Amino acid sequence: MDNDTWKAALGSPAEATIAAGERAAAPLRIVFASSEATPFAKTGGLGDVVGALPRALAERGHQCVVFVPLYNCARQAGVPLEPTKHHVSVPIGNETHLGRLWRSRLPRSEVTVYLIEQERFFSRDDPAEGKGLYQYRLPGGKMRDYEDNFSRFLFFSRAVLEAIPVLDLWPDVLHCNDWQTGLIPVYLRELYSQRDPRFQAIRCVFTIHNLAYQGVFWHWDMMLTGLDWKLFNWRQLEFYGKLNLLKGGIVFADLVSTVSPTYAREIQTPEHGCGLDDVLRHHREKLVGIINGVDYDSWNPETDPFLPARYSVETVAAGKAKCKTALQVRLGLPVRTQVPLIGMVTRLVEQKGLDLLAMAAPQMLEEDVQLVVLGTGEAVYHEMLKRLVHRWPNRVAAVLKFDEALAHQIEGGADMFLMPSRFEPAGLNQLYSLKYGTVPIVRKTGGLNDTVTDVTPQTLAAGTATGFVFKDYTASSLVQTVRRAIHTYHDEPTWRQIQRTGMLQDWSWRRRAIEYEQLYLRLRR
Ligand code: ADP
């Protein structure tokens, strides 16, 4: 059937539901390579993007195929998987490793997903034992990268390239994501294109979802790659004496994208460049920023099964009041409709501005507000939040775990949503918040800058205001902005206008798919 992989996408039943004008004029064949794709595997935004973008592109008539590793969590995702007869063989140093291809589909689509099975590399994740996709928990509670991550993702990268002839795929575009697939553009140009001209014709896009994670390994790992040592130089794979896979992706891909226009600019500066700003400046002609989309099938207050009351833009006041009461009851906060309730749902890591929250809390919590935080991550932030709850039990509630249902209930029940991030490549929660009438309070960085319009007399008059934005990464700036939001909250007509403007915006993947399509078309010869 494998030649039918492409045909399946074109002949999809979804086709009938697409208006003629919404189809792309020139259908493309696109292969995605990613270490995550929802619902098979997700640790963050990467999984969401690769789970949603191929589907949105397929709805425009493109033919998409996704490759992911077959982790334990993928087997438990509740999506049927079927083994194929196809295997790939990958040399790593002196050894050869075999992988078997399994097939599935992205839910609600005809997009084929190939999962690469390799027991030794990918069947180890087990949350109960503290084993994740990339890291495991040490006895003291700290997380550490798996020692063989280089081999694991070298294997995955080459397995994708090996699978192309095996499955007779030959895409127009090979779209790679993050450091885990950074070797694919390198192999494509340095090895596979030399072997077979059909590889030469494949254009390669590389997307950076978060520059802070680069996949940096010791230089002797070059020996495992089978690549020429001449590539280990400061313009290509070398990074301060080490091997940097993200850098490889950036240097060797035909086009590089990242997940918001502001982040695309920021990562070219020393402040946000994580040591790669000069490389990105050097390659700026091929660098593009496209903001992530939202899956409104999962995030829509009109249909959200997790909410105690569903609501639309017309019924937002009554609907949110019910959700707010239920949230206050659940978290043991005083049940008061009039008190502004600020929500946060986040990984508890430095990037997310938690040190700022800690510094701003004493002043912020002098106000008549409630703060609800859902998150998990570094122990220091767990402790910090516990201290806040201890000191202000009637104002602060913190739930320190991963809880999908509660994340939705916070979006539904909170009046405002706080994201004081130090940096934020795209950010999804502010987009959910806009849809849920939960007015975002954000720092002016990355995707937050591209998606939230600050409330000012001018933007209110123009009808474009959607949230509260602050620039300086200081506690006083945050406190001032929260005060500004609280003040506006008590001006009901203005608040309703801000909610309405956000709720009516469209941040769906349908629109983003058009931008990716334009990016791919730039590569057509
Ligand atoms: P990042 O990818 O940097 O973590 P994003 O805002 O792009 O940030 O995406 C985070 C996603 O993870 C959102 O869907 C958010 O709701 C979800 N999330 C983060 N922490 C939790 C948690 N503790 N419980 C439930 N969902 C969470």
Side-chain angles (χ1 to χ4, degrees), residues 353-512:
L354 295 151
D355 52 341
L356 207 53
L357 177 70
M359 287 188 286
Q363 278 183 290
M364 218 171 102
L365 295 167
E366 265 171 25
E367 303 288 329
D368 186 20
V369 283
Q370 291 181 347
L371 173 68
V372 166
V373 185
L374 169 63
T376 171
E378 290 169 23
V380 18
Y381 301 120
H382 285 222
E383 291 311 312
M384 182 271 282
L385 288 167
K386 283 184 200 159
R387 279 200 301 278
L388 293 190
V389 174
H390 185 73
R391 184 156 164 206
W392 289 280
N394 286 330
R395 297 222 159 130
V396 185
V399 179
L400 304 176
K401 61 177 182 180
F402 195 95
D403 185 335
E404 183 80 22
L406 185 56
H408 286 248
Q409 286 150 6
I410 292 174
E411 286 291 1
D415 298 298
M416 304 157 191
F417 198 94
L418 181 59
M419 296 179 79
S421 305
R422 190 180 282 275
F423 69 95
E424 194 64 70
L428 285 169
N429 277 302
Q430 83 279 14
L431 301 180
Y432 306 153
S433 299
L434 290 170
K435 186 73 177 170
Y436 280 64
T438 313
V439 177
I441 302 171
V442 302
R443 183 156 173 266
K444 191 176 170 62
T445 184
L448 301 174
N449 181 48
D450 294 322
T451 54
V452 180
T453 305
D454 191 28
V455 172
T456 65
Q458 292 75 23
T459 57
L460 280 175
T464 54
T466 56
F468 296 86
V469 182
F470 66 101
K471 191 159 178 242
D472 297 335
Y473 194 80
T474 58
S476 66
S477 204
L478 170 56
V479 171
Q480 259 177 28
T481 310
V482 169
R483 285 194 180 133
R484 200 154 61 87
I486 294 172
H487 183 76
T488 314
Y489 172 78
H490 293 298
D491 169 0
E492 203 177 316
T494 305
W495 195 257
R496 295 281 167 253
Q497 180 198 325
I498 298 166
Q499 284 180 309
R500 194 181 156 76
T501 308
M503 289 178 86
L504 291 174
Q505 289 183 339
D506 178 3
W507 295 101
S508 66
W509 275 109
R510 281 164 77 90
R511 308 188 67 182
R512 301 290 84 86

Side-chain angles (χ1 to χ4, degrees), residues 150 154 158 182-192 221-232 237 243 245 252:
F150 186 82
L154 182 162
R158 278 196 83 158
L183 278 175
I184 293 182
V186 186
Y187 278 124
L188 182 64
R189 291 295 161 247
E190 291 295 317
L191 226 64
Y192 288 75
D221 280 338
M222 269 305 281
M223 304 286 278
L224 301 178
T225 61
L227 292 164
D228 196 316
W229 271 103
K230 75 171 198 283
L231 301 179
F232 192 76
L237 300 180
L243 184 51
L245 299 190
F252 284 88

